[in-house]
């Protein structure tokens, strides 16, 4: 096994035991980047020289007995919305081309303090306003999209060119690409992870979270970046600076866990192979001792209207100055959405806020009956590059972005924590994800349940990127 193939947890154990050096691990990841980027294009920028310097510094510190913890010496990628001092952060847009921040975002600073090594900045759909990440290809099939907007982060993890990555999630932009690339993606409870120094899409819907190879990896990253809870001990009361501690020990066991299975919405207009994989995963959870409970999805008719009613005007407000000064620098798809936001009446935004309050109350009521809700992460697997829509058996034609956001946006509107876990693949070998949605600040419970499943049935493998032929030419320009 090459070092780049190690999960964060495995690599941390090897570094902590002095069986692996941060320099060796970083060199392996940089070589993997060189091998996979012509096919995948996960990175907007690779900071190889500084990565080697950081790895060497970590190696010296560890040798001197100053080990900082499980992220020390671990190579990572940060989405190109997250400010990094001295490194270009352009948000995937010509509007901010060449922009170099003079300070780190809080999450970047926390990872630096934990000793993580920055490999580079991963591609995003322009200003995170999209669900495909057109600069990047899916490592499982270069003729397919990786999802978005954190497609570069997910593709890097799935391709083995980053041990972990951070993404952002406004309508599913961590969970969608994680599901489509076979990674684990965690959107924490709204407000759990600070967003200062991160370019906004929608202030009231944006979240920052990890994309990793395993569930345990996601917990380790979350513990490093999350704010402590009101008691200063982590909102889970587990003594960590965040929500990442696992309480599960021994054999995988879900006894006593009540899993809500939606009887509506989440299994409407869904690819049969996706539904079959998720229902098999639910049966597996029951086999581990979980109790499956049918639940109705509250106010599901209004989810998409509320999501768009919140996001669109907030995005336009954030971009008002730049849009007014240089609209031609925006991509056509993003500019049209931003211009449309200026036409939305204020009363509609207020109604969307009222709807969100009602939805949050109703969803939290359902989650008093069950410990978590399990459903497909997305209705379909990865679309072909250039594909505009999915056609469902009932004749409904649905745009790719609308399809992908449909199952993920409820957790953004309500602010509830949600995790996407790989649970299989379709007949073309494209990954399928199952989404777990939990109670407010219930990240530890989500991680424990997902970890039990993963320990019983195994994590997804890395994509065999180098084994693919280049289909349809290289990925699009950065």
């Amino acid at each position: 096994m090459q070092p780049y193939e190690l999960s964060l947890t495995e690599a941390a154990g090897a570094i902590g035991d002095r069986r692996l050096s941060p320099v060796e691990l970083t060199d392996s990841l940089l070589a993997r980047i060189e091998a996979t980027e012509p096919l995948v294009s996960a990175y907007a920028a690779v900071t190889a020289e500084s990565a080697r310097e950081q790895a060497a510094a970590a190696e010296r510190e560890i040798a001197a007995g100053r080990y900082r913890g499980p992220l020390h010496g671990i190579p990572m990628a940060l989405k190109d919305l997250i400010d990094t001092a001295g490194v270009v952060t352009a948000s995937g847009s010509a509007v901010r081309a060449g922009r170099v921040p003079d300070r780190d975002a809080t999450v970047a600073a926390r990872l630096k303090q934990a000793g993580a090594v920055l490999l580079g900045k991963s591609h995003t759909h322009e200003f995170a306003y999209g669900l495909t990440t057109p600069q990047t290809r899916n490592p499982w099939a270069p003729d397919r999209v990786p999802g978005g907007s954190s497609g570069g982060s997910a593709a890097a993890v799935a391709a083995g060119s980053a041990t972990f990555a951070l993404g952002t999630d406004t309508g599913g932009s961590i969970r969608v690409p994680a599901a489509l690339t076979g990674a684990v993606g965690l959107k924490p409870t709204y407000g759990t992870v600070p967003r200062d120094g991160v370019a906004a899409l929608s202030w009231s819907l944006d979240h920052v979270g990890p994309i990793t190879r395993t569930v345990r990896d996601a917990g380790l990253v979350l513990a490093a970046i999350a704010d402590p809870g009101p008691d200063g001990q982590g909102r889970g009361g587990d003594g960590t600076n965040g929500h990442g501690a696992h309480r599960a020990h021994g054999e995988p066991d879900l006894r006593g866990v009540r899993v809500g299975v939606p009887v509506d919405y989440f299994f409407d207009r869904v690819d049969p192979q996706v539904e079959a994989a998720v229902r098999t995963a639910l049966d597996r959870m029951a086999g581990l001792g979980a109790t499956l409970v049918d639940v109705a999805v509250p106010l599901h008719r209004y989810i998409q209207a509320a999501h768009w009613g919140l996001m669109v005007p907030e995005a336009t407000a954030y971009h008002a100055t730049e849009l007014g000064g240089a609209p031609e620098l925006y991509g056509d798809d993003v500019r049209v959405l931003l211009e449309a936001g200026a036409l939305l009446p204020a009363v509609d935004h207020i109604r969307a806020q009222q709807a969100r309050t009602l939805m949050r109350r109703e969803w939290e009521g359902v989650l008093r009956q069950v410990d978590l809700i399990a459903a497909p992460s997305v209705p379909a697997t990865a679309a072909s590059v250039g594909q505009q829509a999915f056609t469902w058996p009932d004749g409904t034609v649905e745009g790719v972005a609308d399809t992908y956001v449909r199952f993920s946006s409820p957790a953004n509107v309500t602010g509830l924590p949600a995790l996407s876990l790989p649970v299989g693949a379709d007949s073309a070998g494209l990954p399928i994800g199952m989404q777990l949605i939990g109670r407010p600040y219930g990240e530890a419970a989500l991680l424990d349940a997902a970890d039990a499943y993963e320990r019983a049935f195994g994590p997804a493998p890395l994509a065999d990127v180098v084994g693919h032929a280049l289909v349809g030419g290289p990925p699009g320009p950065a």
Side-chain angles (χ1 to χ4, degrees):
M1 176 179 285
Q2 297 298 314
Y4 76 80
E5 299 177 81
L6 297 171
S7 70
L8 190 166
T9 303
E10 292 168 335
I15 288 173
D17 293 343
R18 313 287 178 88
R19 292 179 284 112
L20 177 69
S21 81
V23 171
E24 182 183 2
L25 179 59
T26 298
D27 283 342
S28 181
L29 268 294
L30 290 171
R32 183 66 173 174
I33 289 172
E34 186 174 352
T36 58
E37 276 299 278
L39 283 157
V40 177
S41 188
Y43 284 88
V46 177
T47 54
E49 183 177 352
S50 64
R52 291 190 175 98
E53 291 172 355
Q54 292 169 34
E59 185 170 302
R60 290 191 298 271
E61 288 183 346
I62 294 168
R66 298 194 300 273
Y67 182 58
R68 303 188 194 182
L71 300 190
H72 202 174
I74 301 296
M76 62 165 181
L78 295 179
K79 186 175 182 178
D80 188 32
L81 296 181
I82 300 170
D83 280 356
T84 42
V87 179
V88 172
T89 305
S91 301
S93 178
V95 175
R96 295 187 180 174
R99 174 181 172 270
V100 180
D102 58 8
R103 59 180 296 180
D104 288 324
T106 296
V107 287
R110 288 180 178 177
L111 291 172
K112 183 182 291 184
Q113 179 61 34
V117 173
L118 179 63
L119 293 168
K121 308 302 288 289
S122 53
H123 277 307
T124 174
H125 204 117
E126 183 178 18
F127 286 111
Y129 217 165
L131 274 295
T132 58
T133 317
Q135 310 95 318
T136 303
R137 298 288 175 87
N138 194 310
W140 290 92
D143 62 339
R144 304 281 181 148
V145 301
S149 62
S150 307
S153 291
V157 171
S161 62
T163 306
F164 74 92
L166 288 194
T168 64
D169 192 313
T170 305
S173 291
I174 287 172
R175 291 159 290 148
V176 170
L180 298 185
T181 63
V184 172
L186 174 62
K187 182 199 78 65
T189 305
Y190 179 77
T192 296
V193 177
R195 302 188 315 278
D196 58 298
V198 181
L201 175 55
S202 172
W203 293 289
S204 69
L205 298 171
D206 291 347
H207 303 67
V208 178
I211 298 176
T212 60
R213 297 183 197 168
T214 73
V215 174
R216 197 163 291 256
D217 294 354
L220 292 174
V221 179
L222 184 63
I225 62 175
D227 284 334
D231 59 0
Q233 297 296 309
R235 288 182 174 90
D238 51 29
T240 65
N241 179 31
H243 315 257
H246 288 286
R247 292 185 288 273
H249 300 286
E251 293 299 313
D253 185 1
L254 290 176
R255 285 176 294 180
V257 177
R258 296 166 298 166
V259 177
V261 181
V263 297
D264 50 11
Y265 190 74
F266 281 101
F267 289 100
D268 298 339
R269 280 183 291 141
V270 59
D271 185 293
Q273 294 186 80
V274 171
E275 179 171 358
V278 171
R279 293 204 183 274
T280 296
L282 289 167
D283 290 341
R284 288 174 167 179
M285 294 181 81
L288 293 174
T291 300
L292 305 185
V293 180
D294 287 346
V295 296
V297 177
L299 302 173
H300 60 79
R301 287 191 206 172
Y302 309 106
I303 290 170
Q304 292 308 306
H307 180 251
W308 286 100
L310 293 164
M311 181 180 69
V312 173
E314 290 180 10
T316 301
Y318 176 79
H319 286 276
T321 299
E322 289 169 316
L323 184 65
E328 71 281 358
L329 293 180
Y330 289 87
D332 290 344
D333 59 333
V334 171
R335 189 186 69 254
V336 166
L337 288 169
L338 292 174
E339 290 173 345
L343 305 176
L344 193 75
V347 67
D348 288 349
H349 188 231
I350 292 169
R351 286 171 177 160
Q353 294 179 56
Q354 293 173 321
R356 171 170 53 196
T357 299
L358 293 174
M359 287 179 194
R360 185 178 291 145
R361 182 185 307 156
E362 293 296 316
W363 277 72
E364 290 179 9
V366 172
L367 285 161
R368 284 193 288 271
Q369 306 166 34
V370 296
D371 298 298
L372 55 91
I373 295 169
S377 299
V378 287
T381 53
S384 298
V385 172
Q387 181 177 336
Q388 298 299 312
F390 290 97
T391 301
W392 300 107
D394 64 0
T396 301
V397 177
E398 185 177 33
V400 168
D402 291 336
T403 297
Y404 286 152
V405 79
R406 183 155 40 94
F407 291 169
S408 54
S409 61
N412 294 92
V413 173
T414 59
L416 296 170
L419 178 149
S420 183
L421 174 73
V423 294
D426 67 8
S427 57
L430 298 170
I432 293 171
M434 177 173 69
Q435 180 178 201
L436 305 180
I437 303 172
R439 296 169 181 165
Y441 309 113
E443 284 82 357
L446 285 186
L447 289 163
D448 280 340
D451 179 61
Y453 183 95
E454 186 178 78
R455 286 190 293 127
F457 302 105
L462 292 178
D464 181 21
V465 185
V466 181
H468 288 300
L470 194 61
V471 178

